[in-house]
């Protein structure tokens, strides 16, 4: 019963301009949404299987251990909106339990989203499915796209940590703004917690080098998007934890001088110069509950594993 995917990406030109400006900046950046070309998606799935990357299996254990309670709070018959759906495996686990009236996948990665919808269609042929390709980095407004009735946003995997707390607040407020007299809007979200820096860094710098490959691969995607000639092998993967900001940072560090042409103009990366590719903010559960309340949610309930490594929130 799959319906068409709506493409909300303004224009490829806007994306190019943003990428080029980020790469020309004195402190070069690439937004993490550019990780997810098909190889990037496959590498992300492999990261989730590494021994060091505890968030995925801890979140899954919290889901399994508290499923009945979570289902009771979310309620059946809602439209399930899967934010950063990726391969939609987590939503696929929840659909038979939450019995949504419809599923809407939202992702910047159009190819991954189309493949996920295809798979869900095979698994749940009677469920209305649709997709929205968009960048929700500055908030999300799906009010014109949603069928009537209550909505449950689902944002797993601690992806909210990619946004600085003020930007996370903008996104959370925009989700809350879908609530109206005729529509309840709730949120089920996975959040990684602040913990020992060594464990955090190991989760983003696994022994097999899969996260390093994931990080370097962003340059392949940049080459495809901009026609540049970045050599991924010329950059070293760096993962560090900034205790004061409570965030993991991922960077690509030039091993030696590297010059690329950006729209015909050379950009020189000096040895040791870094391109900042990702932040992943970590929260104490009480702090994230405060953020949800600031976003306008009246209630925030959370579940954690015994070690407190990860938290799953339901906000309504
Ligand atoms: C870390 S993966 C998580 C996939 C899956 N939800 C999970 O938890 O395993 C992040 C997903 O969010 C998407 N994404 C990242 N930044 C985005 C943005 N600014 N707007 C929309 N989607 C984004 C990526 O394309 C990717 O599919």
């Amino acid at each position: 019963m799959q319906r068409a995917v709506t493409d909300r990406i303004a224009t490829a030109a806007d994306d190019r301009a943003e990428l080029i400006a980020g790469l020309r900046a004195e402190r070069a950046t690439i937004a993490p949404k550019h990780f997810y070309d098909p190889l990037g998606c496959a590498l992300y799935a492999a990261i989730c299987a590494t021994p060091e990357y505890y968030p995925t299996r801890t979140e899954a254990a919290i889901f399994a251990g508290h499923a009945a309670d979570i289902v009771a709070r979310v309620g059946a018959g809602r439209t399930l909106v899967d934010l950063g759906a990726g391969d939609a495996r987590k939503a696929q686990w929840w659909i038979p339990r939450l019995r949504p009236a419809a599923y809407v996948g939202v992702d910047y990665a159009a190819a991954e989203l189309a493949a996920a919808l295809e798979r869900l269609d095979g698994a749940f042929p009677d469920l209305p499915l649709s997709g929205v390709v968009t960048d929700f980095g500055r908030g999300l407004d799906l009010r014109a796209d949603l069928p009537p009735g209550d909505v449950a946003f689902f944002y797993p995997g601690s992806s909210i940590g990619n946004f600085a707390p003020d930007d996370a607040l903008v996104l959370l407020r925009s989700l809350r703004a879908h609530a109206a007299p005729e529509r309840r809007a709730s949120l089920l979200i996975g959040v990684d917690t602040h913990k020992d820096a060594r464990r955090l860094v190991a989760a983003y710098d696994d022994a097999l080098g899969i996260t390093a490959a994931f990080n370097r691969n962003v340059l392949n995607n940049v080459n495809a998007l901009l026609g540049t000639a970045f050599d991924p092998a010329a950059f070293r993967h760096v993962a560090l934890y900034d205790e004061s900001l409570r965030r993991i940072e991922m960077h690509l560090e030039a091993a030696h001088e590297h010059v690329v042409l950006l729209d015909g103009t050379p950009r020189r990366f000096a040895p040791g110069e870094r391109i900042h590719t990702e932040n992943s903010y970590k929260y104490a559960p009480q702090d994230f509950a405060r953020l949800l309340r600031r976003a306008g949610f009246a209630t925030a309930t959370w579940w954690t594993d015994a070690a407190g490594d990860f938290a799953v929130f339901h906000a309504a």
Side-chain angles (χ1 to χ4, degrees):
M1 206 194 265
Q2 190 182 332
R3 280 191 284 140
V5 172
T6 314
D7 195 331
R8 291 261 203 90
I9 300 298
T11 61
D14 288 351
D15 263 5
R16 271 180 66 92
E18 180 202 78
L19 248 180
I20 290 173
L23 287 165
R24 282 205 178 123
E26 196 177 334
R27 292 177 173 220
T29 58
I30 299 171
K33 66 185 179 190
H34 294 299
F35 280 128
Y36 299 94
D37 67 352
L39 180 54
C41 290
L43 288 167
Y44 170 70
I47 289 169
C48 293
T50 61
E52 295 92 338
Y53 197 75
Y54 61 84
T56 309
R57 58 178 172 276
T58 310
E59 183 183 56
I62 296 170
F63 285 165
H66 299 279
D69 198 7
I70 292 172
V71 168
R73 281 171 195 278
V74 176
R78 294 192 171 213
T79 296
L80 183 66
V81 179
D82 192 5
L83 301 171
D87 61 12
R89 298 262 176 223
K90 293 177 184 175
Q92 188 162 354
W93 189 86
W94 275 113
I95 286 169
R97 293 166 174 84
L98 287 173
R99 290 176 287 116
Y103 170 90
V104 181
V106 184
D107 208 294
Y108 183 74
E112 181 81 346
L113 183 58
L117 289 171
E118 203 62 54
R119 230 179 0 254
L120 288 178
D121 197 32
F124 310 107
D126 298 329
L127 181 66
L129 303 170
S130 56
V132 178
V133 177
T134 190
D135 175 354
F136 48 65
R138 291 181 192 89
L140 181 70
D141 183 357
L142 292 181
R143 284 172 296 183
D145 305 76
L146 293 177
D150 296 337
V151 58
F153 290 102
F154 178 49
Y155 197 19
S158 66
S159 293
I160 189 73
N162 287 161
F163 301 111
D166 283 350
D167 296 328
L169 187 60
V170 170
L171 175 56
L172 294 172
R173 279 197 174 127
S174 75
L175 302 181
R176 174 65 191 159
H178 289 75
E182 70 288 358
R183 165 176 283 144
R184 289 178 295 174
S186 68
L187 170 65
L188 181 65
I189 184 166
V191 178
D192 197 8
T193 58
H194 171 63
K195 59 180 67 64
D196 174 63
R198 277 166 307 182
R199 279 192 66 212
L200 283 169
V201 170
Y204 292 82
D205 196 6
D206 60 277
L208 293 178
I210 295 171
T211 313
F214 173 78
N215 196 11
R216 284 197 192 97
N217 178 60
V218 80
L219 296 176
N220 288 327
N221 199 19
V222 168
N223 287 341
L225 293 166
L226 299 183
T228 44
F230 278 100
D231 175 9
F235 288 84
R236 199 169 71 81
H237 168 65
V238 176
L240 55 91
Y241 189 56
D242 184 322
E243 289 273 359
S244 61
L245 293 172
R246 291 198 167 181
R247 73 181 193 196
I248 283 282
E249 295 181 6
M250 294 208 315
H251 300 261
L252 289 167
E253 184 178 282
H256 47 76
E257 184 183 79
H258 194 62
V259 181
V260 286
L261 282 180
L262 283 175
D263 253 0
T265 309
R267 166 65 161 103
R268 173 182 176 270
F269 291 89
E273 188 175 349
R274 290 177 178 178
I275 306 173
H276 192 163
T277 52
E278 186 178 270
N279 291 320
S280 185
Y281 284 82
K282 309 301 171 188
Y283 290 90
Q286 290 80 357
D287 291 341
F288 197 76
R290 251 191 301 277
L291 198 66
L292 287 167
R293 280 192 284 270
R294 282 179 65 203
F297 290 99
T299 63
T301 309
W302 71 87
W303 302 265
T304 62
D305 55 301
D309 280 347
F310 199 87
V312 172
F313 285 77
H314 178 253

